[in-house]
């Protein structure tokens, strides 16, 4: 296969989508859509999450040191896209009827519709020029019972989870295109 140089991008590095959950100062939940999320090892499995720019989610993570990361599924994609393109500072952003449950271990909001949710505690923050990288300890994982059933083949559990991915400003699941960023109304 011949290779050519292309402009700098991450266009063909698919990322799994997560809705990061925090509580606002008034105790109401806030969720933002992020994909710069991966795993690390420091004596135990951990998470690293990068958030660029100034966002309410990042403000609240800095203030509390905790947040949730809720896997986005195909079915959740319209609401996830809306939450990703609507600023957390916008009044009424969260007035959309999401079913939110409290974390089991940390004071973080979890999305009832997400089949896999992490409760995360920030161990270290690495400030960059326009971003922060949060290195986190996983304090709890809340999973749909079907995904936790080790008697089911992993392929079946993956299909049940139906995670949404993104690359090249387009949403995918199982390699099938689902729509482009910012068109949450068309994704319904």
């Amino acid at each position: 296969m011949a290779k050519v140089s292309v402009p700098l991008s991450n266009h063909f590095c698919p990322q799994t989508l997560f809705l990061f959950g925090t509580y606002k100062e008034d105790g109401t939940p806030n969720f933002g859509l992020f994909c710069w999320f991966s795993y690390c090892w420091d004596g135990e499995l951990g998470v690293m999450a990068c958030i660029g720019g100034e966002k309410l989610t990042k403000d609240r993570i800095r203030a509390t040191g905790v947040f949730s990361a809720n896997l986005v599924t195909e079915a959740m994609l319209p609401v996830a896209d809306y939450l990703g393109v609507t600023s957390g500072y916008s009044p009424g952003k969260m007035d959309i009827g999401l079913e939110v449950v409290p974390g089991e271990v940390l004071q973080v909001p979890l999305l009832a519709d997400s089949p896999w949710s992490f409760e995360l505690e920030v161990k270290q923050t690495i400030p960059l020029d326009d971003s922060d990288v949060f290195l986190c300890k996983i304090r709890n994982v809340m999973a749909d019972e079907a995904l936790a059933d080790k008697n089911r083949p992993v392929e079946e559990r993956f299909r049940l989870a139906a995670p949404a991915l993104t690359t090249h400003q387009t949403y995918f699941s199982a390699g099938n295109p689902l729509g482009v960023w910012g068109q949450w109304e068309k994704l319904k």
Side-chain angles (χ1 to χ4, degrees):
M1 177 185 312
K3 300 216 183 236
V4 297
S5 292
V6 297
L8 179 66
S9 76
N10 64 347
H11 285 173
F12 290 97
C13 299
Q15 297 285 301
T16 307
L17 294 164
F18 287 88
L19 285 164
F20 292 175
T22 59
Y23 284 114
K24 297 180 194 178
E25 286 185 53
D26 67 4
T28 59
N30 174 68
F31 289 91
L33 181 62
F34 299 93
C35 66
W36 292 343
F37 179 94
S38 196
Y39 305 92
C40 56
W41 185 263
D42 187 21
E44 63 184 312
L45 183 64
V47 162
M48 51 187 167
C50 182
I51 300 177
E54 293 307 313
K55 296 172 177 54
L56 179 61
T57 300
K58 186 160 63 167
D59 292 346
R60 298 308 302 148
I61 292 171
R62 286 177 181 151
T64 65
V66 296
F67 65 105
S68 66
N70 303 268
L71 180 67
V72 174
T73 66
E74 287 179 41
M76 295 170 62
L77 194 52
V79 72
D81 188 63
Y82 163 80
L83 292 168
V85 298
T86 306
S87 170
Y89 303 115
S90 297
K93 171 186 176 179
M94 296 303 300
D95 298 340
I96 57 173
L98 291 176
E99 185 179 352
V100 177
V101 296
E104 293 284 320
V105 173
L106 298 176
Q107 189 174 346
V108 295
L110 306 176
L111 289 169
D113 287 343
S114 178
W116 195 272
S117 299
F118 293 100
E119 296 178 46
L120 303 171
E121 179 179 30
V122 177
K123 178 182 177 184
Q124 182 179 354
T125 302
I126 302 169
L128 303 174
D129 290 338
D130 185 41
S131 301
D132 286 294
V133 176
F134 299 104
L135 302 178
C136 305
K137 291 192 171 279
I138 302 170
R139 293 301 185 206
N140 193 38
V141 179
M142 295 297 294
D144 183 287
E145 288 178 332
L147 299 185
D149 181 358
K150 293 183 181 181
N151 292 320
R152 291 179 186 245
V154 71
E155 297 86 359
E156 180 183 338
R157 289 184 278 162
F158 189 79
R159 278 191 302 276
L160 287 171
L165 309 171
T166 188
T167 191
H168 211 277
Q169 297 184 337
T170 303
Y171 298 119
F172 290 88
S173 182
N176 299 312
L178 300 174
V180 298
W181 292 1
Q183 294 187 338
W184 61 272
E185 290 175 321
K186 293 179 182 178
L187 295 170
K188 292 182 181 180

